Amino acid sequence: MNENGQALQARALAQLDSIWDPAKLEEWRVEFIGRKGAVNALFEQINSISKEERGAFGKQANEVKQALETAFTARQGAVKQRALSEALEAEPLDVTLPGRRPQRGRLHPTTQTLREMYKIFGEMGFQVYRTRQVETDLMNFQLLNIPPYHPARDNWSTFYVADTDERVVLRTHTSPGQVRVMREMYPGPIRAILPGLCYRYEQISSRYEIQFNQLEGLAVGHNITFGDLKGTLTEFARRMFGERPVRFFADHFPFTEPSAQMDVKCIICEGAGCALCKYTGWLEILGGGMVHPVVLRNGGYDPDEWSGFAFGMGPERITMLKHGITDIRYFWGNDLRFLEQF
Ligand code: DAH
């Protein structure tokens, strides 16, 4: 064995034995087994060795190299282990300390309102039915008795997604779900509510958002009357807003005939007049009516045999009225100071 090799190995291992500092360990690695380190220098001596001794020299040099590398890896593990034990001893874990209270999320105010609605209508026999947010023009308008270019379209500022053979839109209301439920349920009777996001191409302001929820209701049967609509919605208002007068009056929607609007007595001023009800004493809650014969037929139901009522409301708007929220933009603002109040 080459003297240098053996001496080198002994010197390196002796040094390594007293190293506990990671920075020192790195210095050691560079000095001995690094690219420009002592072991590689040893290999370079091979050119000055006689041919006969070269083989043995190379073999021994390789053994030195391996011995140092193995020792280095072992030391690295030991250094890490000691650093960890020291850290644990320096900052002991006090298992008697009280725990940190986990931060709990809560339901968005609109979700809370929607769930209240599911409960009220669920107890009246309505099932939740979800339909798509991306709709065809046919579903969103035409089958609801709103033909292309009809002036009623102005009521629904529309986001157009694609203008292919069949126009595709983001639904402007949940009403297209009526046709989808009917087509799925035919020829059975229907009591369904259809919640979900709707989209309108609006200038965003305290009163208008480009995305908002609606809750649609639909009942279809052999003997459904306007009285059923009034009874259902009056009961809904009583459970949502407490015992207070409601009123219905004529309105117009292309997909209902006759159509109506329902108001409740203002929950702030009880009718005396205030800013919330704009001094009318009443709050507008929803629109509804008897399903138009054209719409029934588009859903597959013969209007000579079947009748139905439908209604639509805005859960954000109802949440605003219940809590006196004056700006609809809070609902999508993600401001915890707002959300944490619910
Ligand atoms: N789709 C209407 C809107 O977005 C709301 C509505 C009114 C729905 C009357 C109905 C209804 O089902 O009968 O303005």
Side-chain angles (χ1 to χ4, degrees):
M1 166 73 160
N2 173 297
E3 277 305 313
N4 277 340
Q6 221 164 35
L8 173 65
Q9 181 171 336
R11 183 162 65 87
L13 291 181
Q15 273 190 29
L16 188 62
D17 234 13
S18 61
I19 291 180
W20 284 112
D21 175 32
K24 286 262 155 48
L25 185 65
E26 175 61 11
E27 278 171 28
W28 183 93
R29 188 191 65 77
V30 172
E31 181 180 345
F32 292 103
I33 53 177
R35 208 152 42 84
K36 292 180 181 165
V39 168
N40 276 346
L42 193 63
F43 279 107
E44 274 159 29
Q45 290 178 25
I46 209 156
N47 297 325
S48 58
I49 304 267
S50 71
K51 270 210 173 100
E52 301 76 55
E53 287 177 55
R54 238 178 233 182
F57 181 90
K59 186 165 170 269
Q60 304 291 0
N62 263 324
E63 279 169 13
V64 172
K65 179 175 178 203
Q66 259 186 15
L68 294 193
E69 280 176 357
T70 309
F72 173 76
T73 310
R75 193 68 186 181
Q76 205 173 28
V79 166
K80 260 196 199 145
Q81 196 54 49
R82 180 186 272 209
L84 181 64
S85 328
E86 279 175 3
L88 285 175
E89 253 164 61
E91 311 157 35
L93 183 66
D94 182 353
V95 293
T96 66
L97 279 175
R100 269 183 219 129
R101 186 176 289 278
Q103 289 243 357
R104 289 183 72 199
R106 25 193 131 187
L107 294 176
H108 190 278
T110 309
T111 307
Q112 292 182 29
T113 301
L114 276 166
R115 290 195 179 179
E116 213 175 324
M117 291 171 171
Y118 302 159
K119 185 157 190 294
I120 296 170
F121 284 112
E123 286 169 11
M124 292 194 262
F126 287 78
Q127 61 171 303
V128 173
Y129 188 97
R130 293 184 185 276
T131 71
R132 53 192 75 181
Q133 297 180 23
V134 181
E135 271 293 8
T136 56
D137 184 281
L138 186 71
M139 284 283 168
N140 194 78
F141 292 120
Q142 296 169 48
L143 296 179
L144 293 172
N145 206 21
I146 313 168
Y149 308 111
H150 193 279
R153 290 211 176 196
D154 291 353
N155 292 337
W156 293 276
S157 331
T158 309
F159 280 116
Y160 291 92
V161 174
D163 209 355
T164 45
D165 289 348
E166 199 176 19
R167 259 189 163 182
V168 179
V169 304
L170 298 185
R171 69 175 174 195
T172 57
H173 49 179
T174 42
S175 302
Q178 287 188 27
V179 178
R180 294 196 181 274
V181 192
M182 284 193 265
R183 289 183 175 181
E184 187 172 321
M185 302 291 206
Y186 184 81
I190 301 171
R191 251 184 290 177
I193 47 173
L194 298 81
L197 279 171
C198 303
Y199 304 86
R200 287 193 200 165
Y201 185 49
E202 301 278 6
Q203 177 72 50
I204 297 174
S205 71
S206 62
R207 300 181 53 198
Y208 297 103
E209 252 294 358
I210 58 172
Q211 54 183 351
F212 54 92
N213 285 273
Q214 279 195 345
L215 185 89
E216 189 87 9
L218 176 69
V220 177
H222 282 299
N223 236 325
I224 291 191
T225 67
F226 198 83
D228 295 321
L229 174 65
K230 284 178 75 176
T232 304
L233 293 179
T234 304
E235 174 62 9
F236 164 73
R238 193 182 67 78
R239 298 211 31 200
M240 198 74 193
F241 293 100
E243 213 68 64
R244 64 186 56 252
V246 297
R247 68 176 185 182
F248 290 85
F249 54 91
D251 201 339
H252 175 263
F253 301 101
F255 28 87
T256 44
E257 180 58 37
S259 306
Q261 180 188 314
M262 184 176 80
D263 292 359
V264 294
K265 204 36 116 19
C266 181
I267 58 170
I268 302 277
C269 66
E270 301 288 349
C274 70
L276 183 67
C277 61
K278 300 202 197 70
Y279 301 93
T280 63
W282 296 90
L283 302 171
E284 180 188 336
I285 299 302
L286 52 79
M290 300 307 289
V291 182
H292 196 288
V294 165
V295 178
L296 278 175
R297 192 171 288 116
N298 287 337
Y301 287 77
D302 180 352
D304 290 333
E305 276 181 49
W306 299 86
S307 60
F309 68 70
F311 55 86
M313 63 181 95
E316 280 89 356
R317 177 171 162 78
I318 287 183
T319 310
M320 288 170 79
L321 295 177
K322 274 193 83 158
H323 298 286
I325 300 163
T326 51
D327 194 322
I328 198 171
R329 289 170 291 196
Y330 283 125
F331 288 90
W332 291 98
N334 269 343
D335 186 337
L336 284 178
R337 291 169 302 177
F338 170 72
L339 297 171
E340 281 176 345
Q341 294 178 44
F342 300 90

